[in-house]
Amino acid sequence: MSETGMMTFRKEERLCSRTLIERLFNGGGSRSMAAFPLRLVYMRYEDGGQEPAVRMLVSVPKRCFKRAVKRNRVKRQVREAYRKHKGLLHDAMKECEGESLAVAFIWLDDKLWDTAEVDVKVANLMLRLAEKVRKR
């Protein structure tokens, strides 16, 4: 992926396949880690080489924020932090030919956080995940 392509978040990189999301949350092959206020759920899967190396979704439960404006703000913050730091995961996945990574960020807190703090938490989770991917 080119340097300009690393700083974007394209539609192909979004996780929207219902079957893949069900496998991520209900299947036995997924793992998770947390850095409050976020939890990261991830799963490796065989893709055949056509899909992006990493596909991502963000979930902010309605019980955390009743108003959609606040939920959308949190999702924007997490997506922006992911966009800035996704190079960590793409570099780690280069060694894994024929495999992709499905990643879900789940918001846990019922308070809004500053964008810089969310950025640090997302970067921390992605760095830890990149280390686990390389170890395998």
Side-chain angles (χ1 to χ4, degrees):
M1 193 174 277
S2 68
E3 184 62 33
T4 57
M6 289 304 289
M7 295 303 286
T8 61
F9 184 58
R10 303 173 58 117
K11 177 145 176 71
E12 297 85 38
E13 298 175 59
R14 295 175 194 262
L15 180 57
C16 45
S17 165
R18 185 177 294 262
T19 56
L20 193 54
I21 293 171
E22 286 177 2
R23 277 181 47 203
L24 178 64
F25 288 109
N26 298 332
S30 63
R31 306 251 185 241
S32 71
M33 60 180 78
F36 194 79
L38 288 165
R39 189 171 98 209
L40 175 75
V41 179
Y42 64 96
M43 175 186 71
R44 289 178 115 166
Y45 65 97
E46 300 290 326
D47 70 343
Q50 292 89 352
E51 295 185 10
V54 182
R55 298 180 81 187
M56 190 269 290
L57 75 85
V58 180
S59 175
V60 182
K62 198 172 188 178
R63 70 184 149 100
C64 291
F65 298 109
K66 297 295 182 198
R67 299 195 178 259
V69 171
K70 291 182 178 181
R71 290 195 304 272
N72 290 339
R73 176 179 181 232
V74 170
K75 287 191 268 187
R76 261 195 320 272
Q77 287 175 323
V78 174
R79 279 195 308 262
E80 176 66 10
Y82 171 80
R83 182 191 68 82
K84 290 198 306 194
H85 301 289
K86 73 177 183 176
L88 296 169
L89 290 180
H90 283 277
D91 292 342
M93 288 300 291
K94 282 183 182 174
E95 297 129 21
C96 308
E97 290 295 319
E99 283 190 342
S100 288
L101 192 65
V103 177
F105 289 95
I106 303 167
W107 189 260
L108 302 174
D109 198 9
D110 58 351
K111 295 180 181 73
L112 292 173
W113 284 52
D114 187 45
T115 303
E117 293 171 333
V118 173
D119 190 59
V120 168
K121 298 297 182 172
V122 169
N124 179 11
L125 283 171
M126 292 178 69
L127 188 62
R128 288 169 44 198
L129 179 57
E131 289 173 4
K132 287 190 181 227
V133 167
R134 281 192 183 106
K135 243 194 280 187
R136 239 180 185 191

